[in-house]
Amino acid sequence: MADMIMDGGMCEWCDVVFRVDHDYPVLCKHCWDNATPEEREGHQKAIHKEG
């Protein structure tokens, strides 16, 4: 599981799985949209579809 998060195949916070790995840790759209600007610092928003 940790490898999937580090490879960007899974959301860092809620463990939703993506169809394609991002090659870096990301937050899914839901987590990103519900995070405060301070919580978003140091994180990237997912660009691939959840699957």
Side-chain angles (χ1 to χ4, degrees):
M1 222 169 129
D3 287 339
M4 287 185 72
I5 291 171
M6 294 306 297
D7 292 338
M10 177 183 288
C11 176
E12 291 182 69
W13 290 356
C14 74
D15 300 334
V16 70
V17 177
F18 300 102
R19 292 184 186 177
V20 178
D21 287 357
H22 290 80
D23 297 325
Y24 49 87
V26 296
L27 298 178
C28 68
K29 180 179 178 358
H30 174 77
C31 289
W32 183 265
D33 290 345
N34 289 301
T36 65
E38 292 82 19
E39 292 173 326
R40 290 179 184 169
E41 287 184 29
H43 298 280
Q44 295 290 318
K45 182 180 178 183
I47 57 172
H48 298 302
K49 292 184 180 183
E50 300 170 9

